[in-house]
Amino acid sequence: MPAGTFENCYKTVTTGSPELADSLEVWYERGEISRDIYQSQMKAARTVIVRWFASGVGLVKEQIGSPD
């Protein structure tokens, strides 16, 4: 349920770790990790977190998901 409307929010976008994704790719190709682990960790490495902050209130909205 919405708690109100907030204007002039500060928006932040945090992306996953490309370095981790590169390492996972290498480990998978070497056979050091299973396909299941590779897929689940790649999903986490590519996660995008978008947050909106309102002055005097703090965090008012957060979305977590894949870049798609």
Side-chain angles (χ1 to χ4, degrees), residues 22-64:
D22 290 345
S23 295
L24 288 166
E25 186 75 31
V26 170
W27 295 333
Y28 179 66
E29 288 177 2
R30 290 181 184 167
E32 296 176 11
I33 58 175
S34 70
R35 180 180 175 89
D36 290 341
I37 292 173
Y38 169 74
Q39 289 177 334
S40 68
Q41 292 300 310
M42 282 299 278
K43 183 177 179 180
R46 292 185 177 140
T47 298
V48 175
I49 303 169
V50 183
R51 294 181 177 113
W52 290 264
F53 297 87
S55 180
V57 177
L59 180 66
V60 294
K61 183 177 180 179
E62 179 178 61
Q63 290 179 326
I64 302 172

